[in-house]
Amino acid sequence: MKYCPNCLQPDTRPNTVFTPEGICPACDYWARLANVDWQERYEILKDLLAQYPRRPGQHWDCIIGVSGGKDSTRQALWVRDKLGLNPLLVCLSYPPEQVTERGTRNVSALIELGFDLVLSSPAPGVWQKLMRAAFDKFTNWARATELALFSSVPQLAIRYNIPLILWGENPGLQLGDLKTLGKTGYDGNNLRYMNTLSGAAMDWMLETGIDLKQLIPYQYPTPEEFDEHALQVVYLGWFLGDWSLTNNGMYSTANGLEIRTDPVENTGDLRGVTSLDEDWVTFNQMIKYYKFGFGRVTDYCNEEIRHGNMTRERGIELVEKYDDAGSDEYISSFCDYIGIGKDQFWDQVHASVNRDLFTIHDDGRITRKFEVGVGL
Ligand SMILES: [Zn+2]
């Protein structure tokens, strides 16, 4: 395990490749942003949008997937108010056990801001069964639900005959998942290859005995379907010089977004602006930390360090303190939902801990073998 010398990204992130000098892809990208002509990019975006005129009889110019979170709120407002487009917002709804009241209020707020919004609700029984199966198989309950989240947007683009899909973050450039890079910095049609969506997705779901027909919400449209409907995913982050977790959070909060009030010890969320619509993602980040040696606090600090808002030393302190944050209350409600006991939860988590990176003690404590910012 090696760390990027600029930020706190270890090379254990799936699909990542550091430069020969040992710099992580996100820092490498950030360094090159200093020379970007943002006005030129804006012109490129205007030219691109001109290639997708509103279809005859159509009400909307493009589709945007929203969760009612900071990124999607900012995107929706920017697309409407700066680009002058009329987007159709698509929101995948969670079952009542999972969604937070804050999340539903944030989605309502978007509708009150004047947007048209389609809510897609996968069947709750199948959702719950898949979440349990994903946790059992991958110790990652979000494996299926993220598929539904990502798939709902191109699926509805096809259904509503709107070929242009505006997506926020480019996971290749902004996080370092290099398989998602397309022909250009804004081409998002390779989003399907991101770690979350890859890997014989249907097979394990079919093994649960759930009928293929019931898995429709979890099927990301194929490259052939993309071609047939001329779908184009465009990463908006490529055009926005100040696209970041913190900036999007501030911008959206100023426009009425309701954020978290629970402490960072529970969530690993330094500013309370992520995963506003549900709580279980917070301990999934803790599990990710035990698998790969980095969690959400690392992602936060990396961005702040790159932007010059935090020193690497301060980042190390925060990562050491909070990257394994997880709330007992949220873990309990999750266990109740998928029908397992807490012991079973921890047995499963322990089984997925990367033993090269961590030691599991007899009393259940998990401690790191690596030094944050230095490696192993
Ligand atoms: Zn870096």
Side-chain angles (χ1 to χ4, degrees):
M1 181 200 211
K2 288 196 174 55
Y3 273 88
C4 172
N6 291 349
C7 69
L8 295 172
Q9 180 58 51
D11 59 0
T12 46
R13 182 188 288 280
N15 295 346
T16 206
V17 181
F18 282 25
T19 69
E21 293 75 37
I23 307 295
C24 77
C27 280
D28 186 47
Y29 173 63
W30 177 251
R32 282 184 281 129
L33 280 188
N35 305 314
V36 166
D37 180 341
W38 293 104
Q39 186 55 35
E40 187 190 3
R41 284 201 178 177
Y42 187 68
E43 301 300 328
I44 294 173
L45 179 59
K46 293 298 269 186
D47 287 348
L48 184 72
L49 294 174
Q51 294 170 34
Y52 292 89
R54 189 181 298 183
R55 293 193 167 171
Q58 182 63 280
H59 295 292
W60 304 286
D61 302 295
C62 58
I63 273 208
I64 302 177
V66 299
S67 60
K70 63 188 181 348
D71 295 346
S72 50
T73 299
R74 179 167 183 209
Q75 263 182 76
L77 287 163
W78 194 74
V79 164
R80 183 185 68 180
D81 301 339
K82 171 84 177 172
L83 300 178
L85 300 178
N86 185 23
L88 178 64
L89 308 187
V90 171
C91 179
L92 190 87
S93 76
Y94 295 145
E97 295 90 340
Q98 186 178 4
V99 73
T100 60
E101 285 186 31
R102 178 199 315 113
T104 55
R105 281 195 293 270
N106 280 333
V107 171
S108 301
L110 277 173
I111 298 169
E112 274 160 34
L113 283 166
F115 291 100
D116 293 325
L117 189 143
V118 184
L119 207 62
S120 172
S121 306
V126 174
W127 182 273
Q128 190 256 14
K129 244 188 236 172
L130 288 173
M131 195 182 275
R132 169 75 194 264
F135 184 73
D136 287 349
K137 194 168 171 68
F138 307 107
T139 324
N140 178 2
W141 62 256
R143 197 74 181 219
T145 57
E146 279 186 356
L147 271 170
L149 210 65
F150 279 77
S151 305
S152 62
V153 182
Q155 280 188 2
L156 283 155
I158 293 171
R159 200 77 43 86
Y160 279 83
N161 191 23
I162 306 170
L164 183 63
I165 298 167
L166 299 181
W167 196 266
E169 184 170 69
N170 177 336
L173 297 176
Q174 283 156 326
L175 292 172
D177 186 337
L178 298 175
K179 286 193 179 168
T180 59
L181 294 181
K183 293 190 288 288
T184 57
Y186 54 82
D187 173 18
N189 279 11
N190 281 341
L191 192 63
R192 70 176 64 258
Y193 300 117
M194 81 181 285
N195 191 45
T196 309
L197 300 181
S198 64
M202 279 295 125
D203 294 351
W204 72 268
M205 289 196 267
L206 287 168
E207 280 167 24
T208 60
I210 296 169
D211 198 63
L212 187 60
K213 208 170 63 190
Q214 292 183 299
L215 294 176
I216 289 172
Y218 304 87
Q219 293 172 34
Y220 199 81
T222 62
E224 291 72 30
E225 289 173 285
F226 263 66
D227 284 347
E228 190 188 329
H229 299 277
L231 296 191
Q232 179 63 53
V233 180
V234 172
Y235 294 130
L236 276 186
W238 193 79
F239 298 99
L240 284 158
D242 62 347
W243 179 270
S244 74
L245 222 135
T246 306
N247 281 341
N248 294 358
M250 287 193 308
Y251 185 90
S252 298
T253 310
N255 282 284
L257 186 79
E258 186 182 332
I259 64 170
R260 284 184 174 277
T261 50
D262 42 359
V264 59
E265 285 83 357
N266 278 1
T267 59
D269 187 340
L270 297 175
R271 299 201 196 283
V273 294
T274 48
S275 315
L276 301 174
D277 49 0
E278 65 97 84
D279 294 323
W280 299 336
V281 160
T282 57
F283 65 78
N284 219 33
Q285 289 283 330
M286 171 195 80
I287 296 171
K288 181 180 96 177
Y289 168 72
Y290 291 137
K291 288 178 178 173
F292 302 111
F294 70 97
R296 169 168 286 152
V297 178
T298 299
D299 285 337
Y300 255 107
C301 292
N302 284 346
E303 202 176 79
E304 296 283 302
I305 293 167
R306 270 174 222 133
H307 290 211
N309 298 330
M310 185 187 284
T311 63
R312 196 169 182 272
E313 289 65 37
R314 175 66 182 145
I316 290 173
E317 278 173 30
L318 291 168
V319 169
E320 284 181 345
K321 204 164 169 191
Y322 297 122
D323 226 1
D324 62 352
S327 149
D328 215 37
E329 181 194 335
Y330 299 155
I331 293 171
S332 293
S333 72
F334 170 74
C335 290
D336 288 347
Y337 177 66
I338 67 163
I340 61 170
K342 288 255 281 287
D343 289 350
Q344 205 178 336
F345 173 87
W346 282 107
D347 284 348
Q348 175 90 26
V349 171
H350 284 168
S352 75
V353 170
N354 183 332
R355 308 285 173 130
D356 294 331
L357 301 179
F358 295 94
T359 307
I360 304 174
H361 301 274
D362 291 340
D363 60 1
R365 273 181 318 118
I366 307 171
T367 53
R368 60 181 156 255
K369 292 179 180 171
F370 59 94
E371 194 178 331
V372 176
V374 177
L376 199 69

